[in-house]
Amino acid sequence: MDYLVQLLVSGLAVGLVYGFIGMGFAMIYRATGVVNFAQGELMMLVAYIGFTLVGAFKLGFWSLLLASIAVSMLAGLLVELLLIRPMLGQPVFSTVMVTIGLAVIIRSVVVLIWGADPMPLTTGLPTTPIRIGPAGIYPAQLYALCIMAAVVAALWLFFRYSRTGIAMRATANLQTTALLMGINVKRIFALSWALSAGLAAIAGVLVGVIYDLNPGMWLTGLRSFPAVILGGLDSVFGAALGGVLIGLVENLSEGYIGRGMKEIAGFVLILVVLMVRPYGLFGKAEIERV
């Protein structure tokens, strides 16, 4: 029983990271219809930039988190302005290829600047596990749970009650109607990329603090992709839940079936779910974008 509880706790921690990255995928796809395959690489880049900021300014965890979000959102805006906006009106496949090219460039830049050796992201957080019943949970993992709850609540309030959030929902559902109502769709696209990058920053800091930095971090973005498919590509909150489910399934499958199952368990799960729910657990069957 203790082993099961520990697997669930560690799976939840991994799933929360998947959830943050998955929400970033869904944020961009819901607004623009484009899958950003550089999401994991952006997470990695911001985490390494955070490492540099910690070394230069001795930032604590919360200061690093806020600084990383600011840097990442600025990077997201620049990517949208310089690379994505010129692709408006082009086939979606072409835009997706731009994100793949960006991903490859970021991987090379990270190794070129910071090297290929693993690095600890030290922010002053305690490293002694907190005992909760039979399981131990690290403070950084507990912070991840609290941050996820706060982010989900903040996004729900933003989309529900703010004018900009309502405009983003309108653009996601009916772009043509949104344009006719005077909504600045280009600005909504830019905001979607910025928010998505901010979510990637949170994931990057958490991965760095919990697991250390390494140039293979971008694979976390790839492994989080089943989360957004499971929850629904157009469902931001579904992606968060999908991330948690994928993290739990991965840990349980490796713990009880064997090594190597962690890498494929998430993809097996989405194959099963998509046969029953082709648009994911919370996805919609059709979204008009033009």
Side-chain angles (χ1 to χ4, degrees), residues 138-163:
Y138 289 98
Q141 295 173 328
L142 193 59
Y143 280 20
L145 179 60
C146 296
I147 293 170
M148 173 61 84
V151 167
V152 168
L155 286 177
W156 184 83
L157 292 172
F158 172 73
F159 286 125
R160 181 76 175 178
Y161 295 109
S162 73
R163 292 176 61 89

Side-chain angles (χ1 to χ4, degrees), residues 135-211:
I137 182 170
Y138 289 98
Q141 295 173 328
L142 193 59
Y143 280 20
L145 179 60
C146 296
I147 293 170
M148 173 61 84
V151 167
V152 168
L155 286 177
W156 184 83
L157 292 172
F158 172 73
F159 286 125
R160 181 76 175 178
Y161 295 109
S162 73
R163 292 176 61 89
T164 304
I166 293 171
M168 290 183 69
R169 289 166 55 199
T171 303
N173 287 300
L174 293 166
Q175 276 187 22
T176 304
T177 303
L179 283 167
L180 293 174
M181 293 178 64
I183 294 174
N184 188 333
V185 173
K186 289 184 179 179
R187 187 176 67 179
I188 296 300
F189 286 175
L191 180 59
S192 298
W193 277 85
L195 290 176
S196 175
L199 292 168
I202 297 173
V205 171
L206 291 174
V207 170
V209 171
I210 298 172
Y211 304 108

Side-chain angles (χ1 to χ4, degrees), residues 3-108:
Y3 182 58
L4 172 62
V5 174
Q6 188 60 58
L7 286 176
L8 291 174
V9 169
S10 56
L12 176 63
V14 174
L16 291 170
V17 173
Y18 290 166
F20 282 117
I21 301 174
M23 284 195 292
F25 275 117
M27 185 80 68
I28 291 176
Y29 182 84
R30 183 168 172 79
T32 68
V34 172
V35 177
N36 175 25
F37 282 105
Q39 188 75 4
E41 283 76 7
L42 181 60
M43 173 206 72
M44 177 175 68
L45 176 62
V46 174
Y48 272 94
I49 292 174
F51 173 81
T52 301
L53 293 175
V54 168
F57 302 105
K58 310 299 181 185
L59 299 179
F61 177 79
W62 295 109
S63 300
L64 171 63
L65 186 65
L66 293 175
S68 297
I69 291 173
V71 169
S72 189
M73 292 183 72
L74 178 60
L77 286 172
L78 290 175
V79 168
E80 195 279 335
L81 179 64
L82 300 177
L83 300 179
I84 304 302
R85 189 169 298 183
M87 299 300 294
L88 286 177
Q90 302 301 317
V92 173
F93 178 77
S94 300
T95 308
V96 170
M97 290 304 298
V98 169
T99 69
I100 293 174
L102 176 63
V104 174
I105 291 172
I106 291 176
R107 288 179 221 164
S108 300

